[in-house]
Amino acid sequence: MPSRAERNLLIESNLPLVGYLAAETHSRATHIPRDELAAVGALALVTAADAFDPALGVPFGAYARRRILGAFADEMRSMDWASRGIRKRIKETVAVRETLTAGLGRTATPTEVATAMGVTKDVVVEALGDAARTVTTLDDPAARDVATEIPLPEESALVGERRDILEQAVAALPERMRRIVQAVYFDERPVKEIAEELGVTHSAVSQQRSEAIRLLRDALDRYFAEGAAPTTTTRVSAGARDAYFSRIADASSPRIADIFREAAPA
């Protein structure tokens, strides 16, 4: 187990993770106060630091992330008011609305949804209202796609674009960094195993992982920046960073590509 000083350092250095996960969860469940999620997440981070065993070879960030999301799921389950029957009705109504919306090229009205389902308009309006406040647990595979409000087509396109930029940013990482990020954060493999596979030290893997995260942060900051260019966090050279932005631009949609070509002049 870590010493008290090591435990405190783990907590202090990973507090931004709590804020990020609380914000991401709150964006999908806006009726849950963000400060409540942050409090639950902070407590989970502390307990994760107390229980963490470095000998297992699992990065603390990945371990803490699972504990924090688990705490969020428990909190959301405790607040969930929707019965199985209500959830079934919501799911059916939303599915019909999305199908009609896709076919019509615009958001289907409650009357159109009601006609397609063979129910009254009031039933549809009530179901859609419930959909706007239903709490979905984080361990539900469908949770990633549930919003507290049913998105309009243009809103769905924006969400898809944001997801696309993260995928492109990971794919554009230098080969070794990309392999490490994939292994640590997606495959959840021990750092020791990754180091042996790559023929490098545990420390080298950790350093590459940290630099990869800084590059991803710079890419996301660039995409969401408004006005002045954001502060750079990566430690690679300006040329290497610009080459990274160029790779993202080459593999992305025209709108995203324009943003990164501006950030990486020839």
Side-chain angles (χ1 to χ4, degrees):
M1 297 298 171
S3 66
R4 187 168 190 83
E6 291 171 332
R7 165 192 179 273
N8 291 345
L9 180 60
L10 288 175
I11 294 171
E12 292 168 5
S13 61
N14 284 277
L15 279 173
L17 177 64
V18 175
Y20 169 78
L21 293 176
E24 195 276 336
T25 301
H26 177 68
S27 72
R28 293 187 281 110
T30 55
H31 58 292
I32 301 179
R34 181 170 171 175
D35 57 346
E36 288 187 17
L37 289 170
V40 169
L43 178 59
L45 176 63
V46 171
T47 58
D50 287 335
F52 181 57
D53 183 359
L56 296 177
V58 177
F60 179 73
Y63 174 73
R65 181 180 184 277
R66 179 169 291 184
R67 294 287 292 264
I68 293 167
L69 289 179
F72 286 171
D74 289 341
E75 179 72 8
M76 295 172 78
R77 272 193 292 270
S78 71
M79 298 175 66
D80 198 357
W81 54 270
S83 67
R84 182 172 297 180
I86 291 175
R87 285 186 177 278
K88 182 174 183 293
R89 185 190 61 186
I90 291 171
K91 184 177 180 180
E92 292 173 347
T93 305
V94 170
V96 171
R97 187 187 191 193
E98 289 178 346
T99 300
L100 288 175
T101 294
L104 294 170
R106 59 171 174 77
T107 303
T109 67
T111 299
E112 290 167 337
V113 176
T115 300
M117 295 182 67
V119 298
T120 65
K121 177 182 176 181
D122 289 343
V123 170
V124 170
V125 170
E126 182 180 3
L128 294 178
D130 288 342
R133 64 190 182 97
T134 298
V135 179
T136 302
T137 59
L138 292 178
D139 52 358
D140 180 349
R144 293 168 296 174
D145 302 318
V146 176
T148 52
E149 295 183 1
I150 300 172
L152 297 174
E154 58 269 23
E155 293 170 337
S156 295
L158 180 57
V159 170
E161 188 174 53
R162 287 174 176 171
R163 190 174 301 160
D164 181 57
I165 181 56
L166 181 57
E167 292 175 355
Q168 298 297 344
V170 171
L173 286 169
E175 176 63 19
R176 176 162 290 186
M177 286 186 186
R178 186 190 61 76
R179 289 177 62 185
I180 290 173
V181 168
Q182 175 68 39
V184 172
Y185 294 102
F186 295 90
D187 301 335
E188 297 187 356
R189 294 172 56 194
V191 171
K192 181 179 179 181
E193 180 182 305
I194 300 168
E196 291 176 352
E197 179 181 294
L198 296 176
V200 297
T201 64
H202 185 291
S203 176
V205 171
S206 297
Q207 290 173 3
Q208 288 282 293
R209 180 189 67 208
S210 297
E211 190 56 49
I213 295 304
R214 283 190 284 268
L215 276 172
L216 291 172
R217 183 184 303 167
D218 283 352
L220 293 174
D221 286 348
R222 166 59 57 184
Y223 179 71
F224 290 111
E226 295 182 2
T231 301
T232 299
T233 63
T234 183
R235 296 175 182 175
V236 302
S237 67
R241 183 200 61 211
D242 290 346
Y244 172 59
F245 286 164
S246 293
R247 290 195 298 273
I248 296 175
D250 291 342
S252 301
S253 66
R255 183 173 182 274
I256 295 175
D258 288 344
I259 293 174
F260 283 95
R261 288 199 176 100
E262 290 175 3

